[in-house]
Amino acid sequence: MNNEKKENQNIYKWISIICLVLIPLAASIGIVFDINRDPIQLLIMTLGFLSISWINWSKYKEKSKV
């Protein structure tokens, strides 16, 4: 029997797309409700979402080649 766990490769793609969509959404909510006054805080949030998106997109590309 084969005990390998099947992974859904599309989940990595969707997580990366959702993270990219969350960047302008979170920024606009912060600007509208005057939550993020500090631009450094916005930059750190953006870099965090971009890194999560990059990691998941790389996993998607790696798994889709196999």
Side-chain angles (χ1 to χ4, degrees), residues 1-9 63 66:
M1 287 200 159
N2 194 358
N3 288 334
E4 288 183 29
K5 187 169 86 173
K6 276 195 162 189
E7 269 188 73
N8 187 1
Q9 295 127 354
K63 300 280 183 180
V66 174

Side-chain angles (χ1 to χ4, degrees), residues 19-20 23 44-56:
C19 285
L20 289 177
I23 293 170
I44 291 171
M45 179 202 66
T46 304
L47 289 175
F49 279 134
L50 283 175
S51 65
I52 292 171
S53 179
W54 183 274
I55 290 168
N56 283 301

Side-chain angles (χ1 to χ4, degrees), residues 24-60:
L25 183 68
S28 63
I29 288 173
I31 290 170
V32 168
F33 293 111
D34 201 25
I35 297 171
N36 293 337
R37 294 183 188 174
D38 192 12
I40 299 296
Q41 185 180 6
L42 186 63
L43 176 69
I44 291 171
M45 179 202 66
T46 304
L47 289 175
F49 279 134
L50 283 175
S51 65
I52 292 171
S53 179
W54 183 274
I55 290 168
N56 283 301
W57 190 258
S58 297
K59 284 183 183 178
Y60 168 70

